[in-house]
Amino acid sequence: AKEGDAVLLTRAVPVEGTAILAGAKGEELAPILGRDLITRAAGYLDSPGISVVGAALAAAGTGLVHAMHDPTEGGLATGIHELAEAAGLGASIEEKAIPLSTEGNAMCRALGLDPLGVITSGALLLAVPPSGEVKVREALSNAGALGVRIGRLLPAGEGVTLHGKDGPAPLPRYDSDEIGKIF
């Protein structure tokens, strides 16, 4: 990854964590969130699924991607830290740009978990030069994936920042996955 690269995300998050939460807490949450939501969430391992292969191959096929990372334990937030740190960079992330799955977000909120810190195998982060962003996003779309720009990579000294409704703040890093709080 290189300074100035756009950070793209291929799926709404959390992915795998949504299915895990449905299996572990679905009966408890069904009266609050509805049986239909829990049923959809329970199917997340298959739809949208946790494979990133199709999106990765489509993006790599453009020859324009500098780096890819499948954020797993610690969720999207930790995955962003790992992507930036591996390149010796910082990052600026726009909270409103991050697509949250309806099911995963609802269950996380009901359980007091940050959806950005819940295991999200099935999503893929990409570092793409601004000049290649449109082509990579098009390739991802053709492969059935999102190509949402959620931020950009910065010099290391700028840290990893989340820009939310209350202004910029350090992006949390979850060295212990949020989902661990319910077990």
Side-chain angles (χ1 to χ4, degrees), residues 2-183:
K2 298 183 180 176
E3 184 179 326
D5 279 356
V7 177
L8 304 182
L9 179 64
T10 63
R11 287 214 175 116
V13 297
V15 184
E16 184 177 9
T18 298
I20 294 169
L21 290 171
K25 295 291 185 175
E27 290 306 312
E28 176 184 324
L29 294 175
I32 301 163
L33 302 175
R35 175 65 51 203
D36 288 344
L37 183 139
I38 300 302
T39 299
R40 288 191 311 273
Y44 263 45
L45 293 180
D46 296 316
S47 180
I50 60 170
S51 175
V52 297
V53 173
L57 289 172
T62 67
L64 298 168
V65 178
H66 287 156
M68 295 185 205
H69 183 47
D70 176 5
T72 54
E73 185 175 351
L76 180 65
T78 302
I80 291 166
H81 277 279
E82 292 168 346
L83 178 70
E85 289 167 8
L89 297 170
S92 173
I93 304 298
E94 296 296 328
E95 186 174 29
K96 68 178 183 262
I98 299 170
L100 297 175
S101 72
T102 300
E103 296 80 8
N105 189 40
M107 288 189 298
C108 286
R109 298 299 178 202
L111 294 167
L113 306 177
D114 180 351
L116 300 184
V118 170
I119 187 169
T120 195
S121 305
L124 183 64
L125 286 166
L126 300 101
V128 178
S131 61
E133 184 179 350
V134 170
K135 190 168 185 176
V136 171
R137 290 175 74 173
E138 181 178 285
L140 289 169
S141 177
N142 289 339
L146 300 175
V148 177
R149 182 182 191 168
I150 62 168
R152 63 189 176 93
L153 295 173
L154 305 172
E158 296 194 32
V160 180
T161 305
L162 181 66
H163 296 267
K165 63 183 180 308
D166 298 326
L171 178 68
R173 180 184 179 116
Y174 296 94
D175 292 320
S176 178
D177 198 287
E178 281 282 87
I179 210 164
K181 291 179 179 176
I182 65 162
F183 292 108

